[in-house]
Amino acid sequence: MLLFALGFLLVILQPSTGQFPRVCANMQSLLSKECCPPWDGDGSPCGELSSRGSCQNILLSQAPLGPQFPFSGVDDREDWPSVFYNRTCRCEGNFMGFNCGECKFGFSGLNCTERQVRTRRNIFQLTTSEKNKFLAYLNLAKNIPSQEYVIATGTYTQMNNGSNPMFRDISVYDLFVWMHYYASRDTLLGGSNVWRDIDFAHEAPGFLPWHRAFLLMWERQIQKITGDENFTIPYWDWRDAEDCGVCNDEYMGGRHPTNPNLLSPASIFSSWQVICTRSEEYNSQQALCSATSEGPIRRNPGNNDKSRTPRLPSSADVEFCLSLTQYESGSMDKRANYSFRNTLEGFADPQTAISNPSRSGLHNALHIYMNGSMSQVQGSANDPIFVIHHAFVDSIFERWLRRHRPMLEVYPAANAPIGHNRENYMVPFIPLYRNGEFFKPSRELGYDYAYLQEPAVESFQDFLTPYLQQARQIWAWLLGAAVFGGVVSAVLTRHIRACKKKKEGTSSEIQPLLIESEDYNNITYQSNF
C-alpha cells in the first residue's frame, strides 16, 4: 500500500514522457499549431527566461524517402509532428522535455551538468527483492494514469483540423503500448481502404534507435512514478534457451492450469487488460485505437508455427549477426540482404543474412514464439515480456556499435522508408527526437549492460575486430608495400656495403669510433612506407 500511495503522489509531481502533452491537447494549441508549454521553474515558455530553451519552428528533413509509401498528405504521421504542431520547444545544452524541464538522458542535477551511467542487469541475476520490486513497478505503471500526457482517439481530420480535439486519459504503461501501436498502425485511406506497407518503428533503419528511445523513456517513467532514480530495465538473455525461462509465476507469469492461452491466476499479470489489438476492426471503422480494454493478455509459448519459427535464437545466430559490417543495405526494409539491422530484427536468415520474411529469426522469433499478444506487432507491448526482450535486443545493438564503431553517417540520411531517414523525427514522440540521436553508444545516453562490463576475451575481440577488418580491406596494398620495402632495403644495403668497401680501400686514415654530436643531430630517419 505504501508503494501505491507513493506512486500516486509522485505521478502528480513528476512529468511523464510520451505522446501528446496534456497542456497542448486543446483547440487553441491545435489551431495555432504551437506546443511550447511553460516551465514551472520560471513560468516562461520552454524555460526561456532561464536559458533552458525557446519556442521555435520545427525543422523538417527534406531528404528523399524510399518508394514504399506512394502517398502524400494522407497520414497524420507524415513529417511528424507538423500535422498537429509546427512550433515546439527547442532545448539548449543538456536540457530536454516538451517544456525543457528535464535533463537529457545520461545527465542529472539541478542544471543537468552531472553525468551518470546506470547499469541494466540480467533479470535472473536480480535478488528476490529486486525482482519483486520490478514486478511491482510494472503493476504500478499499469494502474496509474499519466498526468502529463493523453492519447489521440481520432485523426486530425476527424478533429475538424483541430477545432474538435479528440483525446483521452491513459495509464503510464498503456501510454507506451499505445505509442507502439500508433507508430506501427496502418494508414487509413478512407472508406474501407488502408495501406499496410508502412511502419515508423519497424522494418527499416529506425527499428533499433526507435526502440532504444522507447525503452529510455519507459525507464525514466518508472523512475519518476516510483521515486527510484536508480531503476533500470532488466534484460532477458534468451540465447540458447530451450523454453521461456521467464514464463512462470516467479517472473512474468506462468501458464493457466486449464487454458494454455492465458496466464496463471497466481501472476499479477493475469488481471491485466490489453489494448490496441484489434487492427482489422479499427481499419474497417477508419478509426484509431481508443485504448479501451480488449481482454486479458494471451500467451502460449512454444506452441507457435514451427515452420516459421522452428527454435529460439542461438548464441551462434547472435555472433553471426554481430559479424555483419553493414548497418543497412539495399532497399533498407525487410527485404534487405547482409543488413545487421534486418538480420537482428529477424527478417533475414541469422546464418546467411539473406532476407526471408517468411521465417522469423532473432528479435522476431521471440515475438512469434510467445504465440499470443506479443505476436501481433501493433499490440505486442501489452505483454510485459516485451520490455525485457527488447532490452536484450538493444544490448546486441550496443555490442555491434562497440565492435564496429560506426560514424553517424553510417545511418542512412536519405531514401529510407518513410520516417526512417537519419534526420526524421520519431513518431509519435513529443518532445521530438531524431533517429540519428540514438545511433550512438549507450554510455553516452546514460546506461550500460552488466554483461558488457565484464572484462573477457570476447570484449578484447570486439575491440580488435574493426581494426582487423580494416586490415583485411587493405591487405593487398600492405603486402605490396612490404615487398617493395624489402627490395628497397636490399638495394640500399648492397649500396652501403659497396661504398664502405670502396672507402676502406682508398683511405688509410683511422676512422672515428663515434659520430660527432654535430653530425649525429643532422641524421634523420624517414619512412616512405
Side-chain angles (χ1 to χ4, degrees):
M1 290 299 295
L2 177 62
L3 179 60
F4 277 85
L6 179 62
F8 276 106
L9 175 62
L10 288 168
V11 78
I12 295 174
L13 299 176
Q14 299 284 3
S16 64
T17 306
Q19 220 255 341
F20 291 92
R22 185 182 296 274
V23 292
C24 297
N26 54 67
M27 184 172 64
Q28 180 181 352
S29 296
L30 291 173
L31 292 178
S32 66
K33 288 186 174 290
E34 181 174 295
C35 182
C36 296
W39 174 53
D40 292 340
D42 62 16
S44 66
C46 313
E48 186 170 9
L49 293 179
S50 301
S51 300
R52 297 177 79 94
S54 58
C55 191
Q56 299 284 333
N57 292 333
I58 293 170
L59 301 177
L60 296 173
S61 170
Q62 301 301 314
L65 302 172
Q68 293 86 353
F69 187 69
F71 306 98
S72 179
V74 299
D75 194 310
D76 291 347
R77 299 168 296 178
E78 297 177 53
D79 289 327
W80 179 261
S82 62
V83 169
F84 296 97
Y85 312 107
N86 54 31
R87 284 174 62 81
T88 61
C89 288
R90 188 179 305 168
C91 304
E92 303 295 336
N94 297 328
F95 298 115
M96 186 183 79
F98 64 80
N99 63 354
C100 301
E102 302 182 26
C103 297
K104 281 185 176 179
F105 299 116
F107 291 89
S108 63
L110 187 62
N111 296 309
C112 302
T113 56
E114 301 172 16
R115 292 300 304 263
Q116 59 182 15
V117 177
R118 298 186 176 97
T119 302
R120 293 178 180 173
R121 297 162 57 200
N122 190 319
I123 192 168
F124 294 124
Q125 294 177 352
L126 301 181
T127 65
T128 300
S129 174
E130 290 169 335
K131 180 260 297 177
N132 290 338
K133 184 168 63 174
F134 169 60
L135 300 182
Y137 285 177
L138 284 168
N139 205 39
L140 185 65
K142 182 71 171 179
N143 290 283
I144 287 184
S146 172
Q147 296 296 310
E148 295 292 324
Y149 277 86
V150 292
I151 62 167
T153 58
T155 65
Y156 192 68
T157 299
Q158 292 167 348
M159 295 184 194
N160 291 327
N161 299 327
S163 62
N164 180 35
M166 298 173 65
F167 300 98
R168 66 162 291 180
D169 295 336
I170 195 168
S171 75
V172 171
Y173 187 94
D174 284 348
L175 172 66
F176 286 85
V177 177
W178 190 91
M179 288 195 294
H180 191 266
Y181 147 80
Y182 190 82
S184 56
R185 70 174 178 85
D186 300 331
T187 294
L188 306 177
L189 296 174
S192 59
N193 299 315
V194 297
W195 185 262
R196 301 180 189 278
D197 192 12
I198 184 171
D199 195 315
F200 290 84
H202 305 86
E203 302 181 16
F207 167 68
L208 292 167
W210 191 96
H211 285 84
R212 171 163 283 195
F214 180 89
L215 290 179
L216 279 166
M217 290 186 286
W218 190 90
E219 194 170 59
R220 179 166 289 190
Q221 278 313 290
I222 298 298
Q223 293 166 359
K224 288 176 178 179
I225 66 174
T226 63
D228 185 354
E229 295 183 354
N230 294 315
F231 168 79
T232 55
I233 300 170
Y235 57 86
W236 173 30
D237 183 348
W238 33 248
R239 290 174 296 180
D240 304 314
E242 296 182 359
D243 54 27
C244 179
V246 295
C247 295
N248 53 62
D249 291 337
E250 183 182 357
Y251 288 96
M252 312 308 289
R255 200 185 302 269
H256 193 283
T258 60
N259 187 339
N261 294 313
L262 299 179
L263 301 185
S264 163
S267 169
I268 59 173
F269 303 117
S270 64
S271 63
W272 281 26
Q273 291 285 302
V274 301
I275 63 170
C276 302
T277 61
R278 300 173 181 172
S279 58
E280 294 305 316
E281 179 180 317
Y282 314 144
N283 289 346
S284 65
Q285 298 174 357
Q286 294 287 294
L288 298 184
C289 164
S290 61
T292 55
S293 299
E294 297 174 349
I297 293 174
R298 303 182 70 83
R299 188 197 302 157
N300 192 348
N303 289 323
N304 57 286
D305 182 359
K306 297 299 192 296
S307 65
R308 182 174 178 183
T309 306
R311 59 176 175 81
L312 289 172
S314 67
S315 296
D317 294 339
V318 173
E319 292 305 316
F320 174 80
C321 183
L322 288 168
S323 73
L324 299 172
T325 58
Q326 296 184 84
Y327 177 75
E328 198 53 89
S329 67
S331 57
M332 295 185 278
D333 56 19
K334 63 184 178 183
R335 292 175 288 274
N337 295 323
Y338 308 112
S339 156
F340 164 75
R341 187 275 313 162
N342 202 36
T343 304
L344 178 53
E345 189 169 359
F347 292 109
D349 192 300
Q351 297 176 335
T352 65
I354 300 298
S355 172
N356 185 5
S358 66
R359 299 287 292 270
S360 298
L362 290 173
H363 156 264
N364 286 350
L366 262 293
H367 281 277
I368 300 301
Y369 176 85
M370 290 302 162
N371 194 31
S373 301
M374 238 184 104
S375 304
Q376 183 215 33
V377 175
Q378 295 177 17
S380 58
N382 278 293
D383 191 327
I385 289 179
F386 177 97
V387 179
I388 60 175
H389 165 48
H390 270 276
F392 189 65
V393 172
D394 182 75
S395 79
I396 299 173
F397 176 35
E398 180 60 23
R399 288 183 63 190
W400 187 87
L401 289 172
R402 295 187 189 186
R403 177 178 295 192
H404 299 281
R405 291 173 169 79
M407 301 291 287
L408 177 59
E409 288 71 23
V410 167
Y411 188 98
N415 302 313
I418 184 171
H420 288 266
N421 283 341
R422 185 194 310 153
E423 297 302 314
N424 287 150
Y425 289 118
M426 296 177 175
V427 175
F429 304 145
I430 298 176
L432 304 179
Y433 303 114
R434 298 184 190 272
N435 289 308
E437 293 178 41
F438 293 85
F439 191 76
K440 63 174 63 172
S442 67
R443 293 183 65 86
E444 294 182 27
L445 296 167
Y447 71 100
D448 201 352
Y449 288 95
Y451 82 107
L452 299 185
Q453 295 176 327
E454 299 170 359
V457 175
E458 181 180 39
S459 301
F460 184 65
Q461 177 185 346
D462 288 350
F463 175 80
L464 287 180
T465 296
Y467 304 103
L468 294 175
Q469 289 172 344
Q470 293 177 19
R472 290 193 197 101
Q473 295 173 2
I474 61 173
W475 73 271
W477 183 87
L478 289 172
L479 181 60
V483 172
F484 178 75
V487 172
V488 171
S489 177
V491 171
L492 288 176
T493 300
R494 291 182 61 185
H495 181 69
I496 292 172
R497 287 178 177 173
C499 290
K500 184 177 181 180
K501 288 182 180 180
K502 183 176 180 181
K503 193 171 184 178
E504 288 175 350
T506 56
S507 175
S508 60
E509 297 180 6
I510 299 176
Q511 301 299 317
L513 297 176
L514 298 175
I515 301 175
E516 297 293 337
S517 60
E518 181 179 355
D519 295 330
Y520 181 83
N521 291 332
N522 289 332
I523 295 176
T524 62
Y525 292 86
Q526 181 178 359
S527 172
N528 292 318
F529 186 70

